[in-house]
Amino acid sequence: PGVIADWQWQRVIGEAHFTADGKEVVFMGENACPVNGQQPEKSRVNLYRVKLDTLLSGKTLEPSDVFDITKHPFGNVTANRRPTAFSLAPDGATAVFTGTPTFDQSGNLIADGGARQRNDREVYRIRLDGTNALQLTNNIVFSAESPMVVGP
């Protein structure tokens, strides 16, 4: 099946999941490459989706073949939510994932570089088109690990 090209420097982590219609595969990709010779404090992890037909075609994948759902930036920044697990909803359009928090208990944006935005885990919801990302939990007492969507 699909051939890996030079631009694909990320590694797939965790399990990949098929969308409800079976036409796409959703997976997490991590980039923990050193920056200026140093390992980053917070690796970049994103949720991606790719059409199953594209994977099965045997063609070399191009960047346009892989859709970046979460679009997290590099660095030890709050916007890099660093997902650790995800689950797809039965609606075929939504995912939930665990990631580092964006907001504190008061609803304020957590500052870049802080320990909580590197080490804690909360639950998020996001549409597979990359819109409507929302932090659903906010609890410093526990760290979310394995989100699961339960159907009707």
Side-chain angles (χ1 to χ4, degrees):
V3 178
I4 295 178
D6 292 340
W7 63 269
Q8 296 169 312
W9 35 254
Q10 302 194 65
R11 69 183 180 111
V12 174
I13 58 174
E15 295 181 11
H17 298 274
F18 289 96
T19 54
D21 63 7
K23 294 181 179 180
E24 293 182 300
V25 177
V26 179
F27 61 95
M28 289 188 305
E30 177 181 38
N31 180 327
C33 293
V35 177
N36 297 325
Q38 294 185 20
Q39 208 55 31
E41 285 186 80
K42 189 175 182 184
S43 63
R44 182 178 78 165
V45 177
N46 280 302
L47 296 179
Y48 297 96
R49 66 174 218 257
V50 63
K51 293 187 183 315
L52 182 60
D53 287 345
T54 302
L55 289 175
L56 296 176
S57 72
K59 76 172 219 136
T60 299
L61 296 177
E62 301 293 331
S64 61
D65 294 324
V66 182
F67 181 78
D68 185 348
I69 298 168
T70 48
K71 298 178 182 72
H72 294 141
F74 283 102
N76 186 19
V77 296
T78 302
N80 177 5
R81 294 179 294 233
R82 196 173 178 266
T84 54
F86 76 98
S87 178
L88 298 180
D91 69 3
T94 309
V96 293
F97 67 91
T98 53
T100 54
T102 303
F103 300 100
D104 66 17
Q105 276 80 13
S106 300
N108 298 315
L109 187 66
I110 294 175
D112 290 343
R116 183 162 185 233
Q117 65 85 19
R118 263 193 325 274
N119 303 318
D120 193 12
R121 296 286 179 271
E122 300 296 342
V123 178
Y124 288 84
R125 178 201 71 214
I126 191 167
R127 296 195 46 86
L128 294 183
D129 65 4
T131 62
N132 297 332
L134 178 66
Q135 181 179 324
L136 300 174
T137 62
N138 197 340
N139 191 326
I140 61 172
V141 176
F142 75 91
S143 184
E145 293 295 326
S146 301
M148 184 181 303
V149 177
V150 179

